[in-house]
Amino acid sequence: MISHKQITHYSIHATDGDIGGCKDILFDDQDFVARYLVADTNSWLPMSRKVVISPISVSKVNTDEQWLAINMSSQELKDSPSIDEHKPLSREYEETLFKYFGYGYYWIGPGAWGDFAHPTELADKEMQQTLAEDAGEPANHLRSCSEVHGYDVATLDEDVGHITDFIFDHTGWALRLLVIDTNNWLPGGKKLAISPKDIDTIDWSSHKLHVNLTHDQLMEKPEIDMDKLADASYLESILLKAE
């Protein structure tokens, strides 16, 4: 497992060297999976611009040394389709990006990664792109972790705390837990872990994340120690309690 706060300190290694660090994660608020990593281009592009990297290209994650490797060159990333930093990713942009890298479309098929369990299996799936040409345009469900960080958490009763972190696995890149800090509601508050299935809606206009939980049900969720994310048995117990 890896948290959003942790990965923003990770460096990114292309096939021909280091290309800087990870700036953000864009996740899908329907399938609750990381769709893109946003690279910080300040150190390796003359003019900084937003470069997104799909987990399809991530070949290794080293949690001890805090880096991740991708199976493309820095030049491929430099030449990849550009995106406006202040606008959400459109489906049209995703299609252009996936065609550029030769990926199969994740939105063709029943699962979070189409017909596959892991994102890397979508590499070089030309048939999926062919099928996608005849498919309808599904709604875009991308959210920025940096944007949702700090959103108030609205229970069925009242607002309780705010979103302070997101925890992903780095194999299928599923969003496994969201961390809620109740300190701004309750002095000496706790950091509580909830499952994505507890989410009702994420409201950008009000900066609130609505959950299908009462105040009391939320307060019964497990307290999480963010320093123990590397402990597999500890995480498993938190995941079970959060369910």
Side-chain angles (χ1 to χ4, degrees), residues 67-197:
W67 56 262
L68 58 89
I70 57 174
N71 56 15
M72 64 181 67
S73 69
S74 57
Q75 191 62 48
E76 284 181 290
L77 280 175
K78 288 178 182 179
D79 295 339
S80 66
S82 61
I83 184 74
D84 192 319
E85 178 78 33
H86 304 292
K87 294 181 180 178
L89 295 183
S90 67
R91 181 64 76 208
E92 290 77 14
Y93 172 79
E94 289 191 278
E95 289 180 355
T96 301
L97 185 74
F98 273 48
K99 285 177 181 177
Y100 172 80
F101 287 119
Y103 298 151
Y105 296 154
Y106 67 78
W107 54 91
I108 302 300
W113 296 107
D115 291 322
F116 305 99
H118 297 94
T120 52
E121 295 176 284
L122 278 168
D124 301 318
K125 297 297 178 183
E126 295 182 5
M127 181 57 69
Q128 293 233 341
Q129 292 185 2
T130 301
L131 292 172
E133 293 176 1
D134 299 322
E137 290 291 332
N140 196 311
H141 291 276
L142 292 175
R143 302 277 185 167
S144 160
C145 284
S146 294
E147 165 64 27
V148 179
H149 177 272
Y151 274 24
D152 290 335
V153 177
T155 70
L156 298 174
D157 308 312
E158 59 183 323
D159 293 359
V160 180
H162 62 277
I163 298 296
T164 189
D165 212 344
F166 310 78
I167 298 174
F168 298 85
D169 73 57
H170 52 76
T171 51
W173 288 94
L175 174 58
R176 301 300 302 276
L177 296 168
L178 291 89
V179 182
I180 298 172
D181 189 340
T182 66
N183 189 59
N184 63 338
W185 175 82
L186 182 68
K190 304 175 180 179
K191 286 186 170 62
L192 305 174
I194 66 168
S195 167
K197 72 177 185 179

Side-chain angles (χ1 to χ4, degrees), residues 39-55:
D40 183 351
T41 64
N42 285 325
S43 62
W44 59 282
L45 283 181
M47 294 183 64
S48 179
R49 67 180 178 91
K50 189 174 184 178
V51 173
V52 294
I53 299 169
S54 169

